[in-house]
Amino acid sequence: MSSTLAGWLQALALVGALALCYRPLGDYIAHLLTSAKHLRVERGLYKVVGVDGDADQRWTAYLRSVLAFSALSVLFLYGLIRVQNHLMLSLGFPPMAPHQAWNTAISFVTNTNWQSYSGEAALGHVVQMAGLAVQNFVSAAVGIAVVATLIRGFTRSKTDRVGNFWVDLTRICLRLLLPISIVFAVVLVANGVIQNFHGFHDLTTLGGDTQSIPGGPVASQEVIKELGTNGGGFFNANSAHPFENPNGFTNWLEIFLLLVISFSLPRTFGKMVGDNRQGYAIVSVMGLFWVGSAALLTFFETHPAGTALKAAGAAMEGKEQRFGEWATALFASSTTLTSTGAVDGMHDSLTPGGGGVALVDMMLGEIAPGGTGSGLYGMLILAIVTVFIAGLMVGRTPEYLGKKLGGREMKFASLYILTTPAIVLIGTGVAMALPGERAGMLNSGAHGFSEVLYAFTSAGNNNGSAFAGITVNTAWYDTALGLAMVFGRFLPIIFVLALAGSLARQQPVPASAGTLPTHKPLFIGLLSGVVLIVVGLTYFPALALGPIAEGLH
């Protein structure tokens, strides 16, 4: 079978599997977010924590709960990393330096999973399981919980209540993420992903040398790494490592896992607002951008510039021979369009066009389909902006799902859109202005700039993938990228929750002749245009200095 045919078949199989899961998984998530019944284990947890599971919170109380939980998570994970040499199964590893421990703790709590270290050579099994894997679950659950409040803002009226964070967090972890992770962890183990508590085994290679082979609880962490759009790998090579991703089937399965919840959440949105057509419109825009990105990235990787690469037929440097350029491009596109950041190839080795597509995927806000929860609330913010622009064009007060979009709502939406570009561009500019930080670039010229731009884009958008080729394990980069991750995660959450509270207080208004239908092709086209124009053009000057200049050269 040719690589082209194999690539088409796995892409079509992926689309089919996601389509099959869209309705049942989306409906199930809607049910668990709206059900009035609590499981016995959930009631037990509420009693231990001291939470009233039947009490709703104002958006300000919900926000305080999110921030308090995240702050405590950072402190716990930071402390665990700093004392890991005193823990069992530490494998003899010393504690991380303070600035690297801070960066790692922030990274996993913010669902970024940026790693300035080699996992198999820096962290013991207890930290991997009790620290990183736990955050993979709860950080993903926080994203879904936040988008649930925004949806409730559309469905509720004349109230200041948007839900209960502790109930949402508990249900998402226990009823959604944990069951799926258990099932697919078994599937991964059956297909060759390791799962043990071994340390290092010294083996003699065919050349007569000795090599230390690490073991660990990989399969259990691998599933939630993809399912929760986290991305931090047990091994430095991430999903290019055969212990994490042994064959073509596991590679396809991991792509499916990192997309399935985010692509199903629009159905949850449609179900909760009582109009499934709204979900179809949102998922259509997500699908258009995902297909376009995958097609472009695959084209650039299979049609590279340069005599040697053309003679070889593809740009295979930095790619796994087990997967080839088609599967690597599909993985790269999917992981940067979500906030996953997992990789099965070296993104620094992508062609200028391919690397530029990966950058643009993140710069668009990772909304196609985006991270678990964060992708949908990002797309809904852009939908609000689209409706507002359309309302101005016809001279009517814009309305979306029966809620008026006035000055207060548009301020929150505008702040959301402006926050991430400011973090990315300011961070990149400061790094390029400091001679010491420019010295950390292992490449000069446009590609070196792209590496710095990619690092701050990845951190600010909570992605976690990297171009590599840049020394980031320094006090400055660990601190700067950590701050980018914090602001990139929690400032947008603040604006989303404030918007949810503002919408929930409104009295719904009936649709009229001037109301823009938000389930028809016209709205899908308008929303796609807003994504490209309002968001995409913000970064064009930076892209011109990086991947575009490199490609032209």
Side-chain angles (χ1 to χ4, degrees):
M1 182 185 297
S2 69
S3 61
T4 300
L5 178 58
W8 275 108
L9 289 176
Q10 65 182 328
L12 291 174
L14 183 60
V15 171
L18 293 171
L20 287 174
C21 293
Y22 173 77
R23 180 171 180 172
L25 184 57
D27 288 352
Y28 174 70
I29 298 173
H31 170 73
L32 74 88
L33 291 175
T34 55
S35 174
K37 295 182 179 180
H38 306 291
L39 300 180
R40 181 177 299 178
V41 64
E42 294 170 350
R43 290 196 298 268
L45 289 173
Y46 302 152
K47 187 174 181 180
V48 171
V49 179
V51 171
D52 182 359
D54 296 317
D56 271 358
Q57 297 173 307
R58 298 182 178 88
W59 77 264
T60 51
Y62 202 103
L63 174 61
R64 288 196 298 271
S65 299
V66 171
L67 297 180
F69 177 76
S70 300
L72 289 175
S73 297
V74 170
L75 291 175
F76 173 78
L77 185 53
Y78 176 84
L80 202 64
I81 295 171
R82 290 289 291 151
V83 301
Q84 75 156 341
N85 56 314
H86 299 295
L87 304 174
M88 62 179 182
L89 299 176
S90 66
L91 308 183
F93 293 135
M96 281 186 177
H99 59 82
Q100 191 175 32
W102 136 270
N103 182 277
T104 303
I106 289 294
S107 175
F108 278 80
V109 171
T110 59
N111 198 242
T112 310
N113 293 43
W114 171 272
Q115 294 175 288
S116 61
Y117 60 90
S118 299
E120 69 269 40
L123 296 176
H125 294 338
V126 171
V127 175
Q128 291 274 13
M129 293 185 298
L132 306 189
V134 168
Q135 290 306 315
N136 283 349
F137 280 93
V138 296
S139 65
V142 167
I144 300 175
V146 171
V147 78
T149 66
L150 183 56
I151 299 173
R152 292 181 188 123
F154 287 111
T155 61
R156 298 182 178 184
S157 62
K158 302 177 71 174
T159 180
D160 57 357
R161 311 287 170 161
V162 294
N164 188 314
F165 170 73
W166 306 105
V167 171
D168 291 338
L169 180 73
T170 303
R171 288 184 175 184
I172 293 165
C173 287
L174 294 185
R175 300 194 197 182
L176 177 67
L177 300 178
L178 189 58
I180 297 176
S181 296
I182 292 173
V183 171
F184 283 101
V186 174
V187 174
L188 288 181
V189 170
N191 283 275
V193 179
I194 67 171
Q195 179 74 15
N196 55 56
F197 294 106
H198 297 164
F200 289 84
H201 289 282
D202 292 333
L203 302 176
T204 301
T205 66
L206 294 176
D209 297 323
T210 300
Q211 182 177 358
S212 293
I213 305 296
V218 177
S220 56
Q221 186 165 324
E222 190 71 16
V223 174
I224 191 58
K225 153 191 156 182
E226 312 293 5
L227 185 67
T229 60
N230 296 285
F234 193 96
F235 298 99
N236 187 44
N238 207 274
S239 289
H241 198 291
F243 286 178
E244 288 195 34
N245 192 2
N247 52 56
F249 171 72
T250 58
N251 188 69
W252 179 91
L253 181 61
E254 291 185 17
I255 300 174
F256 167 77
L257 287 173
L258 65 89
L259 291 170
V260 65
I261 290 180
S262 295
F263 262 129
S264 299
L265 281 173
R267 172 71 181 192
T268 302
F269 167 64
K271 192 75 173 179
M272 290 178 67
V273 299
D275 186 354
N276 290 327
R277 298 174 301 175
Q278 303 296 332
Y280 288 127
I282 295 297
V283 80
S284 296
V285 178
M286 290 178 171
L288 286 173
F289 279 98
W290 177 67
V291 170
S293 168
L296 278 175
L297 211 154
T298 302
F299 174 81
F300 285 127
E301 296 308 304
T302 54
H303 297 79
T307 304
L309 294 179
K310 288 181 178 178
M316 280 301 295
E317 194 277 327
K319 297 181 178 64
E320 270 291 315
Q321 294 289 337
R322 294 174 294 148
F323 308 136
E325 68 274 13
W326 277 76
T328 304
L330 183 60
F331 201 117
S333 176
S334 299
T335 197
T336 50
L337 276 171
T338 60
S339 65
T340 310
V343 296
D344 71 348
M346 181 61 70
H347 283 197
D348 197 38
S349 297
L350 295 173
T351 62
V357 172
L359 262 172
V360 171
D361 287 346
M362 294 185 292
M363 289 172 172
L364 290 178
E366 297 171 326
I367 52 173
T372 50
S374 61
L376 179 57
Y377 65 64
M379 184 62 83
L380 292 178
I381 292 290
L382 289 168
I384 287 172
V385 173
T386 301
V387 172
F388 182 78
I389 293 173
L392 293 179
M393 292 171 64
V394 298
R396 293 184 61 88
T397 301
E399 304 163 6
Y400 187 39
L401 301 179
K403 296 299 179 73
K404 290 186 178 181
L405 304 177
R408 180 182 176 83
E409 289 76 22
M410 293 313 302
K411 287 175 184 175
F412 292 136
S414 300
L415 288 170
Y416 179 98
I417 292 173
L418 293 172
T419 295
T420 305
I423 294 169
V424 172
L425 297 177
I426 291 173
T428 303
V430 172
M432 295 302 297
L434 298 176
E437 312 319 320
R438 288 202 307 273
M441 296 161 40
L442 304 183
N443 294 278
S444 59
H447 190 77
F449 174 78
S450 294
E451 291 169 349
V452 178
L453 178 63
Y454 194 106
F456 279 96
T457 302
S458 179
N461 286 278
N462 302 128
N463 185 273
S465 63
F467 252 16
I470 178 175
T471 304
V472 293
N473 187 21
T474 64
W476 190 87
Y477 267 114
D478 278 336
T479 304
L481 293 174
L483 290 173
M485 288 184 266
V486 170
F487 294 137
R489 173 69 164 181
F490 294 112
L491 286 179
I493 284 178
I494 291 172
F495 302 136
V496 169
L497 291 176
L499 178 60
S502 180
L503 293 172
R505 282 194 294 268
Q506 290 188 28
Q507 174 70 32
V509 294
S512 64
T515 301
L516 174 68
T518 54
H519 61 275
K520 294 186 176 181
L522 174 62
F523 177 74
I524 294 173
L526 285 172
L527 179 54
S528 301
V530 167
V531 172
L532 291 174
I533 296 172
V534 175
V535 181
L537 290 182
T538 304
Y539 294 98
F540 183 78
L543 291 168
L545 293 174
I548 294 177
E550 183 184 1
L552 292 175
H553 178 71

